[in-house]
Amino acid sequence: MAAGGGDPAASPLKTPSWAVRIRGADGEIAGAGILLTPDQVLTCAHVVDRAEDRLTAEFVGAADHSVPAVPARVDGSAYVPETRDADGDPVGDVALLRLDRPRPVGETVRLHRLSAPGREVRMYGFPYAHNGGIWFRSTVVGGCGRDGQVQLSPVSPGELASPGCSGAGVADSRTGEVIGMVLSGQQDQHGNRFSFMSPAETIARHLPRLKPHIVGPTAVDERLLPAADGASQDLLDEPFAQRLAAWLRDDGSQVKISVVGPGDAARSATLRRAITLADRELRTAVSVDRASLDPPGTVPSAGGHDLAVDASGVSAAEIAERIAERMGLWQHPEDPPLDRIRASRATLNLVVVGVDEAADPLSLLDLLDVLRAGGSRLLLVFREDGDCHRRARDRLLVRPGRERRARLVERLREITGPLAQDLHERLAAVVPHGVRPLDSDLVAAHAALAGLLRADDADDADDADAGGVDRDGVDRGGVDRGGVDRGGVGRGDEDREGDGRPDSGRVPGPGLDLARYERLADRAAGRLAKAVAQLDRLRDRRDELAGRLRGYHVLHQHALRGEEDPEVDGLYLRAHALLRARPCDVRAAEAAVDAYTRRVDDHGEGDAR
């Protein structure tokens, strides 16, 4: 049995007992639902709208293999219709039904709070073609919109959530826990297919009465919640709030390090505000709409983080256990949590406040480095610019940044060296009919490589000036005279102002955008590979034509028995010359070979007559 109650949703051979099929007054399937208590079913508000007042809940996973049908109705005010916020994104669409007769408690399931990035999930819905119920598989892509909804990508095109799936439970494939509810599925104008779900925390915000039926620790430690007296609500460091919101909206920085001193009330309040607004469950209704009085760019999207912990006085092992639980790493509980995290492919967006006040800060840095290497995003807050802060900056920002840059340099060298040489060799062999010109891509790759190498030279010079020690590690006041970020890590990784103090309120200057260079490298490498493949096909066609020409020439010579045919020989010589030319115009050569072979065929038919 899954930890949340009910049948394990991970079993592909069993209909889940909590899966509910909902019919309207006309007897048609209106959608699906989740049996949370013996007499309460969670579903989408639009399912209720479609079914009107008379609803029937059918339990396809009943233990006795029957399909009991129970009348149901909206449970009082537990109805939040879908609306659109100022951005046009959907909000709400949840409802709770009350059954006329209760079901066995063993058929119920509880929702589970679980970090979602990259998870493989499954949903059990009732599309028209499979109205008895069917599993759909998806992968979590990420959050979308300001309501904390989550985008799902179907494993195969046929597994897009379709009518009859709205309100279905979304179960984590690894743990079997039900972590959310299907909202809709759609295909955009480009043919991309997506489904959407409302995770447990968003459902809890819309329907607070369901919190007793949602298990798993909340995403935010109590010590990080805003003060109950509201005394700090009016305190806001707006530039800091904008940078926090940018990271929580995924500005491309994997690791962000800030210092918030214990006596800095405004920055402390700003940090707590950002953490609260980015949590799906704690976010208030007013923060969903731009009509609120929040300054522009300071409100992060709900779901910007998966876990926010206060490390003060807490051991690294305890924090690792908290992370493992949030990731759903419950298998092999006898293994240390760090080992489970290291072996897992799960990731999360993690906020750690008071890194330097942990019971064992250096062990905590080990844990954070494992998470960074595994692809998790980290927002780390220190209380002072001390030794622990400098170690973290070097280990989590500077070294990974330089390693990333070194990998990018090698890749660009491969693109501008061997891959470009492969292209030029093929361009020397055949005329590139139908092949996209790549001059601009190669110029851009050379320019990117030159910029990265200049940044390396700048780093070496700085290290020499400092006696081989990187004096301030990441962002030395922005941009040097040559326009290259001398820190080489990218923008926004650590907040600084001109005097070098960490995160004192000024956005750092622009630097090397490694993500942009990586996209450039991906694009150039992809186009080079495609062009080489196209040119190889042209070379293969040239060789085929050459073989065809030789074969026909031998046949024609045998047919002539020593006689001469100047007109046919002229066609042969033209085709032969075109095939031997470098670069070979394959289209022209093909036309010439076709002309020669047709003439030889005609000559043979004439002899036969």
Side-chain angles (χ1 to χ4, degrees), residues 237-247 249 270 295-299 507:
D237 182 333
E238 187 172 330
F240 184 40
Q242 290 172 339
R243 293 194 293 278
L244 290 174
W247 187 90
R249 288 194 298 266
T270 301
T298 67
V299 180
V507 179

Side-chain angles (χ1 to χ4, degrees), residues 491-524:
R491 293 174 291 188
D493 293 320
E494 184 179 13
D495 291 328
R496 285 189 174 271
E497 65 174 7
D499 62 3
R501 290 187 295 113
D503 198 6
S504 302
R506 188 179 69 82
V507 179
L512 285 177
D513 187 345
L514 294 186
R516 181 173 65 86
Y517 284 154
E518 287 166 341
R519 291 192 296 271
L520 182 153
D522 288 342
R523 182 171 62 250

